């Protein structure tokens, strides 16, 4: 906005498009979406750096990514080459020449005062012009035109060639010099002479800023780009001069020869061509890094003049530079390398907006603390990023829990806490085990009270359940299978998502609980959440449940006052165990000793009071039989969730284990009560 003063002292505001950088009113970039995609890729085995690059390539919901922008750049490049050819100036010269010859022949036929011999000689000269346009123009340079119209058309050829050659080096000159006078042409030649002297001083290292200022004060009207120093001037001139050379390289040998011969006719004097050749030599010496030797294959029907063709070659060079920038395939590539002005010029403002959004995303991801660089120079997801990802995953889990129609529980037993020895009447929603003696006794008493014993054998009013004492803290061990089959069968990422969601829930909502993550493959290992989510696929065979249970029981013993909760996610029977000397023993099919060691440690967990839930992945009958038998030994529970529902199943089981007398659904409602709106479970926090 700019303000100006009206007569009388009143102010008038004028509004225009904001061009001072990024739009200050634009909405902030959506880091949550970016982090979600990056987190998924990291858990799939990508490095954070590569995951970020992949997101930038794909783009977000509301903007194009690098790949789509690169495809548009390639498409425009192909369209330029397929639409145009480089015959434009030669064809225009040919048309003017044919028009001049036709007008001259007409004048010769009408001129009755012309000597017959002279007429015959002139007609013979016109009829035997060489087929080469350049040669014909050169041969007619000394012809005494009888037709004023023909002479004017021929002079247009010289004027056209001069303007086209200037337009090759100074964009816009073709139009600016249309109808130019001799004084205008003299000014051009003077400017070229002064420019070459300035460039030659720079080559010799003797130029000064005052030399540049003096040149611009005298000839600045020829340079609408308004360069601020000699380097900017040389850059602009060299880019266009190199494009002109590439256009010449792209022509056929016949086209080049014709053009070189015609150039001598520019403005009817060789002085212009001499100045331009001197300019090209200076620029090549000063800017050798420009592409002076390239060429392109044009194959279209629309002819381009020298100036327009040079502009097309400049466009192609810009498109090539944009293609390289968008590829981000070179060392040290950053989104800030993208030239937004070039992108807007070639693909439009919308493309520049999408690219700026990607730049801001990359900058925000690097500067906001979501990515951290380790001592070895590698990017890692920071704890802040892990919390953000965990929130998103927990949100998805909570929505799934709120909308579930039930789990595929295969067996459920046990209680939510230690049995107190007391019983009470059953109430709707109770999950505690029935007290069978008290229930049978209540039924017998009721039937006896009826007198004739004709009532129903059992009624719900007869049922009593065993009361339990809910513990205020839980020690939760999540054992996740990291064996070969988990990666091979597409269960790797769902497993990590589950661990991250549970970790987020415990650390944010149940800070008094203790959580340990244990991965068990050929051997078991206690892992931090960052280590687990970044874990590469484990291709070594082996499912060492025995070692995992050993670590879990050690964890439970460290927290004797907390309720032990054991959650085991697996897709295979145990195939390895630890020997007494600490070595890993592997056997497939499972060795009886491996099974025995695993059962022994599971029994130990049961004696510690652990509430055990197995999450069985896959439909292997042998695995189902094994897990069922294991769960029965400790009054445990088996859940066979779909992969997409694994996180909800594990989190739901954890909530149920610490929910006292309430059900899993009730515990979830209590836990997520502040995060849901209404019974449909919409996330509002």
């Amino acid at each position: 906005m700019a303000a100006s003063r009206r007569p009388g002292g009143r102010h008038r505001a004028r509004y225009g498009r904001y061009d001072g950088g990024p739009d200050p009113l634009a909405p902030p970039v959506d880091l949550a979406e970016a982090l979600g995609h990056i987190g998924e890729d990291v858990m799939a085995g990508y490095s954070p750096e590569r995951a970020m690059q992949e997101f930038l390539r794909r783009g977000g919901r509301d903007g194009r990514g690098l790949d789509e922008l690169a495809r548009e750049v390639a498409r425009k490049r192909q369209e330029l080459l397929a639409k145009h050819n480089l015959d434009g100036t030669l064809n225009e010269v040919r048309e003017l020449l044919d028009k001049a010859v036709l007008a001259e022949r007409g004048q010769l036929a009408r001129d009755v005062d012309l000597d017959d011999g002279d007429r015959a000689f002139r007609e013979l000269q016109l009829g035997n012009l060489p087929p080469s346009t350049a040669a014909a123009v050169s041969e007619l340079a000394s012809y005494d035109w009888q037709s004023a119209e023909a002479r004017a058309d021929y002079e247009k050829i010289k004027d056209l060639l001069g303007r086209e050659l200037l337009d090759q080096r100074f964009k816009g000159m073709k139009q600016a010099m249309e109808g130019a006078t001799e004084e205008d042409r003299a000014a051009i030649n003077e400017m070229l002479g002064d420019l070459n002297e300035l460039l030659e001083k720079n080559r010799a290292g003797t130029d000064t800023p005052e030399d540049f200022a003096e040149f611009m004060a005298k000839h600045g009207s020829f340079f609408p780009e308004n360069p601020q120093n000699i380097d900017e001037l040389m850059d602009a001139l060299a880019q266009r001069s190199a494009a002109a050379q590439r256009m010449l390289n792209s022509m056929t040998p016949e086209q080049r020869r014709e053009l070189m011969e015609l150039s001598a006719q520019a403005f009817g004097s060789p002085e212009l061509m001499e100045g331009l050749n001197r300019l090209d030599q200076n620029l090549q010496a000063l800017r050798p890094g420009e592409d002076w030797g390239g060429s392109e294959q044009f194959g279209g029907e629309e002819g381009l003049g020298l100036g327009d063709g040079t502009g097309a070659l400049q466009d192609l060079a810009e498109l090539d530079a944009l293609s390289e920038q968008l590829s981000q395939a070179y060392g040290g590539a950053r989104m800030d390398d993208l030239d937004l002005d070039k992108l807007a010029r070639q693909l439009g403002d919308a493309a520049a907006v999408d690219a700026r959004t990607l730049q801001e995303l990359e900058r925000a991801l690097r500067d906001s603390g979501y990515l951290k660089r380790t001592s070895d120079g590698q990017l890692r997801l920071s704890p802040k990023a892990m919390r953000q990802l965990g929130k998103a995953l927990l949100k998805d889990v909570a929505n799934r829990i709120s909308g579930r129609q039930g789990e595929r529980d295969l067996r459920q037993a046990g209680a939510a806490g230690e049995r107190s020895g007391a019983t009470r009447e059953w109430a709707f929603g109770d999950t505690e085990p029935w007290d069978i003696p008290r229930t049978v006794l209540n039924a017998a008493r009721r039937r006896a009270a009826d007198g004739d014993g004709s009532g129903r054998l059992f009624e719900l009013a007869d049922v009593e359940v065993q009361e339990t004492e809910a513990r205020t803290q839980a020690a939760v061990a999540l054992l996740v299978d990291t064996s070969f089959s988990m990666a091979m069968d597409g269960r790797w990422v769902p497993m990590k998502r589950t661990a991250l969601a549970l970790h987020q829930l415990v650390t944010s909502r149940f800070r008094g609980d203790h959580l340990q993550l244990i991965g068990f493959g050929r051997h078991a290992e206690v892992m931090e959440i960052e280590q687990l989510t970044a874990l590469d696929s484990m291709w070594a065979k082996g499912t060492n449940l025995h070692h995992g249970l050993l670590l879990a029981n050690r964890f439970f013993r460290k927290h004797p006052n907390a309720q032990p909760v054991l959650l085991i996610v697996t897709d295979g029977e145990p195939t390895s165990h630890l020997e007494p000397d600490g070595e890993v023993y592997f056997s497939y099919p499972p060795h009886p000793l491996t099974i025995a060691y695993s059962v022994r440690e599971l029994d130990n967990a049961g004696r510690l009071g652990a509430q055990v839930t197995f999450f069985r992945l896959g439909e292997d009958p042998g695995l189902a039989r094994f897990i069922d038998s294991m769960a029965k030994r400790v009054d445990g529970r088996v859940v066979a969730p779909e992969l997409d529902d694994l996180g909800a199943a594990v989190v739901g089981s954890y909530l149920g284990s610490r929910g006292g007398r309430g059900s899993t659904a009730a515990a979830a409602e209590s836990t997520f009560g502040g995060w849901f709106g209404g019974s449909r479970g919409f996330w509002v926090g």
Side-chain angles (χ1 to χ4, degrees), residues 338-353:
L338 277 180
D339 190 323
L340 299 182
D341 291 334
K342 285 182 179 179
L343 199 61
R345 192 159 52 243
Q346 295 298 335
L347 299 184
D349 290 339
V353 169

Side-chain angles (χ1 to χ4, degrees), residues 508-520:
S508 63
R509 300 289 290 179
F510 299 103
R511 293 187 177 92
D513 287 357
H514 310 280
L515 174 65
Q516 187 168 85
L517 304 174
I518 301 171
F520 63 99

Side-chain angles (χ1 to χ4, degrees), residues 34 36 83 132 142 156 172 189 203 222 241 243 258 307 329 336 345 424 485 493 542-543 598 604 623 652:
K83 181 179 180 181
S132 164
S142 58
K156 286 180 182 178
N189 287 326
R203 288 179 65 181
F222 291 104
S241 180
E258 291 266 297
D336 286 340
R345 192 159 52 243
R424 59 176 173 79
S485 58
V493 173
T543 305
S598 301
N604 288 339
L623 174 65

Side-chain angles (χ1 to χ4, degrees), residues 525-546:
E525 179 182 0
V526 175
M527 297 182 176
E528 296 297 324
I529 186 61
E530 294 85 1
Q531 180 186 1
L532 178 59
T533 52
L535 187 67
D536 286 336
S537 300
M538 308 290 284
W539 299 108
K541 295 182 179 180
T543 305
N544 199 332
L545 180 60
H546 168 237

Side-chain angles (χ1 to χ4, degrees), residues 1-2 14-21 23-24 344 348-353 356:
M1 181 183 75
R14 290 183 288 112
Y15 294 88
R17 182 177 179 180
Y18 178 77
D19 59 358
D23 184 357
D349 290 339
V353 169
R356 181 181 291 115

Side-chain angles (χ1 to χ4, degrees), residues 261-276:
E261 292 177 7
L262 284 170
S263 297
Q265 303 295 326
F267 289 154
S269 167
E271 186 178 358
L272 173 65
M273 199 61 199
E274 290 172 1
L276 292 176

